[in-house]
Structure formats: structure tokens, C-alpha cells
Amino acid sequence: MGLIILLIVGGIIGWLASMVMRTDGQQGIILNVVVGIVGALIAGFLVTPLIGGAPITSGSFDVMSLVSSFIGAVILLAIVNLFRRGSVR
């Protein structure tokens, strides 16, 4: 059950991050889920030590974990845009 919730929340976080970074038209549902989960992993290593909380990949679904996972997904999309286009946008 935890894996299903992780996929759903990761998809929503990836979709919101793609809306912020204006890449929503280029990616579908599967890529949104991947961006959300990989963004949560990035948040676990980079963002969580700075602002506290735990990433959603650890099973914690509070406000701080959702915010840190969202920030991680935005960082991931910024890095992808930097290599793809040459600018963060």
C-alpha cells in the first residue's frame, strides 16, 4: 500500500514541478511519477538536511516532506533543462 501512495504522491509532485518549470507539455504521466520520486530522492540528500523533515521515500507524508520533495523535483527539472536547452528557464 505504501508503494501505491508513493507513486500517486510522486506523480502529483512531479506534475506540479513540471508546471512550475514549464515542461508539462513535454512529459506524460510516467515521467511525472519518475520526476516526483527522483526529486524526492534528491530532496533526501540535499534539501532535507537544510530545512528538516524526511523525504516521502522514507514513508513520511507530512507538509515538510512534501515541500522538500517538491523542491527536489524542481531542482531535478532545472538540471535537466540546463543540459537539454542550455538554460534553466
Side-chain angles (χ1 to χ4, degrees):
M1 187 67 167
L3 179 65
I4 295 171
I5 293 173
L6 178 67
L7 291 174
I8 292 171
V9 172
I12 292 170
I13 288 173
W15 175 69
L16 290 174
S18 68
M19 294 291 280
V20 168
M21 296 299 291
R22 297 185 191 113
T23 59
D24 189 46
Q26 302 168 355
Q27 55 192 53
I29 293 173
I30 302 296
L31 197 55
N32 281 337
V33 171
V34 170
V35 165
I37 293 174
V38 173
L41 291 172
I42 290 172
F45 294 117
L46 299 177
V47 179
T48 302
L50 296 175
I51 65 173
I56 62 170
T57 54
S58 68
S60 172
F61 290 105
D62 58 353
V63 173
M64 287 301 285
S65 65
L66 295 175
V67 169
S68 66
S69 297
F70 175 74
I71 292 171
V74 169
I75 290 171
L76 174 67
L77 286 176
I79 292 170
V80 168
N81 283 342
L82 184 64
F83 285 111
R84 185 184 289 168
R85 294 188 185 107
S87 68
V88 175
R89 196 181 214 198

